[in-house]
Amino acid sequence: MTSFRFLHAADLHLDSPLRGLTRHDDLSIDRIRSASRRALDRLVQTAIDEKVAFVVIAGDLYDGNWKTISTGRYMASALGRLLAQGIRVFLLQGNHDAASVLTRDLPLPAGIDRFPSQKPGSFLLDDLGVALHGQSFANRHVPQDMTSSYPSPVPDYFNIGVLHTSLSGHGQHETYAPCTVEGLRARNYDYWALGHVHERMILRDGTPIVYPGVLQGRHIHETGEKGVILVSVRDRVIDSITPVPCDVVRWHQAHQDCSGLETEAALHDRIAALFRQIAQEQEGHLCVTRLTLVGETVLHDRFSRQGPSLREAVQHLATLSGGDIELEKLVVATTLPGKSAKEAPSLPDAGSENFSLGPLLQEASRDEDFLVSLGSDLDLCLKTLNLGEIAPDSLLARINDRDWGAILPELTGRLGARLGPEPPAQSQIPPVPVSTPQRRNTSAPGAEGEAP
């Protein structure tokens, strides 16, 4: 009987840029920035410790073109450590590292194989009885189903299909190489190693179809444990499919119910208990947390007035938790007693003289799904603008960071003035140069599938 193990990884996004965090001087930016490299180190060590026969990386090793040559060197060092242990590596290029995207790439020595981009290709491991089939992206955008041209399974081999795909459409992720679960299983492979969707997903009813998810969460919308999948096979039958965490920074969203609170001391006790629980659950990780205060409380107006001092108090409680917790953002979504969202009167129509833009923007800034949709809609537009030299403390700088949850409340007064019956004497928003060739374009490139 032949038995072996392999690791399935995807969406490493090595050295993915940070957005919207640099303005928080109380966050460990360097630790967060290097997290994708530390997670890659853990992937390599996991492969070595588990004595796997090979590693499959189903796309998006990088986040696009390398910002510096050190990105490529770090990847080469990691792959080299696998080769030194006799572990083979099979790479597939996804939309972020498609042949048309990367202007530089790694020369691949024996033992590291990349799936071709012009048509599907296969690699055979005769000693293990394994056949791997896959096709890299030639271009970033692949609107068609690629699986129809994947080869038939090799008889008496354990057949693995490797694909970077959005499947039949998945949440916030853009559509790439769309296909269906039924279409994948019709190929009669033994395992499908997918990439592109950043949430872990394991479909076991029939041929396993598996997304390992992103290797390391990169922002507050990629919460929870992240890592790789360890697969054990015995005599062409899968024994186990086991998620293995590799992340070093863990993003977390928490809600604290403030209902009935009448003193700040009571609030502090509740938040302290919450942070102690988070510290126990996320032990061994830097946990970057967004805390949202909810519920009806007489302290609502005080919360709204305190601003930075309230955030400082909450971060202090996080530090006292005994864990490694840092506050990404504090969101106050409480209401006064009797003023809950369910009981609040509906907003007047936009044409009404009583219409106010402020409540709409405040509500929008707390709607996570809307913020993701807004970022997706505006990202392409913002990438085409030449914003010129941007003052670091200006509104345009914050827009360039794509932190819509912070931007929308700030726009309330400005847009209200512009859209009101009496236009302001002088706009507070500086003009945006859209065709000034001599100025440097500082707009940051976006990445689909990322939360803004």
Side-chain angles (χ1 to χ4, degrees):
M1 297 176 66
T2 301
S3 63
F4 62 90
R5 286 185 284 186
F6 69 92
L7 274 191
H8 168 201
D11 299 285
L12 278 56
H13 290 279
L14 186 64
D15 289 346
S16 176
L18 300 180
R19 290 187 185 159
L21 294 178
T22 54
R23 65 175 173 274
H24 297 312
D25 56 8
D26 52 351
L27 286 181
S28 299
I29 298 300
D30 289 341
R31 292 176 67 186
I32 300 173
R33 194 184 305 278
S34 65
S36 63
R37 294 190 176 197
R38 303 287 83 79
L40 178 57
D41 292 338
R42 289 191 173 187
L43 181 158
V44 171
Q45 194 58 50
T46 298
I48 294 171
D49 292 344
E50 297 293 341
K51 297 180 173 57
V52 302
F54 56 91
V55 173
V56 178
I57 304 178
D60 286 356
L61 283 74
Y62 307 106
D63 203 66
N65 264 321
W66 311 337
K67 303 302 183 291
T68 68
I69 192 66
S70 68
T71 298
R73 288 176 177 169
Y74 207 90
M75 180 65 72
S77 174
L79 298 180
R81 296 200 302 277
L82 292 172
L83 283 182
Q85 297 294 321
I87 299 172
R88 294 192 63 175
V89 182
F90 298 93
L91 309 176
L92 185 143
Q93 291 174 301
N95 52 291
H96 277 277
D97 42 29
S100 64
V101 172
L102 290 182
T103 58
R104 293 176 292 186
D105 207 350
L106 298 172
L108 300 181
I112 300 178
D113 295 285
R114 178 165 48 213
F115 290 99
S117 59
Q118 298 306 313
K119 63 179 182 179
S122 300
F123 298 107
L124 302 182
L125 302 178
D126 294 324
D127 56 332
L128 296 176
V130 173
L132 298 101
H133 316 283
Q135 181 176 354
S136 293
F137 279 26
N139 299 295
R140 178 167 184 148
H141 296 285
V142 178
Q144 74 279 4
D145 184 351
M146 302 168 69
T147 59
S148 60
S149 56
Y150 270 48
S152 299
V154 177
D156 300 323
Y157 273 56
F158 185 85
N159 288 265
I160 301 174
V162 187
L163 180 64
H164 199 76
T165 176
S166 57
L167 209 54
S168 55
H170 190 277
Q172 302 159 8
H173 297 270
E174 292 188 23
T175 300
Y176 287 89
C179 57
T180 65
V181 169
E182 295 75 17
L184 294 180
R185 288 184 171 145
R187 305 308 301 173
N188 291 318
Y189 293 166
D190 299 290
Y191 181 92
W192 273 102
L194 305 186
H196 181 61
V197 172
H198 287 191
E199 295 81 28
R200 181 189 300 148
M201 184 174 75
I202 303 175
L203 302 180
R204 301 175 185 266
D205 186 15
T207 300
I209 297 173
V210 180
Y211 283 106
V214 68
L215 183 67
Q216 165 62 61
R218 299 166 300 155
H219 47 70
I220 196 61
H221 298 284
E222 293 181 346
T223 58
E225 178 184 292
K226 306 297 180 184
V228 298
I229 299 293
L230 175 66
V231 184
S232 297
V233 179
R234 180 183 297 273
D235 196 25
R236 293 184 50 213
V237 176
I238 293 177
D239 271 349
S240 62
I241 299 174
T242 307
V244 180
C246 293
D247 53 342
V248 295
V249 174
R250 194 158 289 176
W251 301 84
H252 184 72
Q253 297 199 44
H255 290 74
Q256 177 59 61
D257 186 4
C258 302
S259 299
L261 289 181
E262 296 183 356
T263 66
E264 289 188 45
L267 171 68
H268 294 167
D269 288 343
R270 288 193 186 183
I271 293 179
L274 173 65
F275 281 144
R276 286 194 296 270
Q277 178 183 349
I278 294 174
Q280 293 174 359
E281 295 172 349
Q282 310 297 340
E283 185 178 3
H285 295 82
L286 169 59
C287 185
V288 184
T289 301
R290 176 177 293 182
L291 177 62
T292 302
L293 305 182
V294 298
E296 298 183 18
T297 172
V298 295
L299 299 175
H300 170 74
D301 288 338
R302 189 180 303 180
F303 293 162
S304 301
R305 290 193 304 268
Q306 285 180 329
S309 64
L310 179 59
R311 174 188 169 90
E312 183 177 343
V314 172
Q315 178 59 71
H316 184 68
L317 293 170
T319 305
L320 289 171
S321 68
D324 197 359
I325 302 175
E326 295 185 359
L327 193 64
E328 181 262 353
K329 183 180 290 185
L330 176 65
V331 179
V332 176
T334 55
T335 58
L336 288 170
K339 299 292 184 180
S340 66
K342 291 181 179 180
E343 298 174 357
S346 59
L347 294 170
D349 294 335
S352 167
E353 62 180 4
N354 296 321
F355 174 73
S356 173
L357 187 64
L360 276 177
L361 290 179
Q362 292 293 338
E363 184 66 20
S365 68
R366 295 192 291 266
D367 188 331
E368 297 290 345
D369 292 336
F370 173 76
L371 295 179
V372 170
S373 175
L374 178 66
S376 176
D377 291 342
L378 293 184
D379 201 54
L380 181 61
C381 173
L382 289 170
K383 284 188 288 185
T384 65
L385 294 179
N386 183 343
L387 295 179
E389 297 295 334
I390 303 175
D393 58 347
S394 70
L395 178 61
L396 284 178
R398 304 187 73 177
I399 290 176
N400 203 36
D401 282 340
R402 316 292 208 270
D403 190 356
W404 304 111
I407 292 167
L408 287 180
E410 188 170 338
L411 284 173
T412 301
R414 304 186 186 204
L415 286 178
R418 279 182 171 268
L419 297 176
E422 294 293 333
Q426 182 177 2
S427 171
Q428 298 180 35
I429 302 179
V432 178
V434 295
S435 58
T436 314
Q438 69 272 21
R439 291 188 174 182
R440 176 171 57 91
N441 185 347
T442 58
S443 60
E448 96 303 320
E450 293 184 19

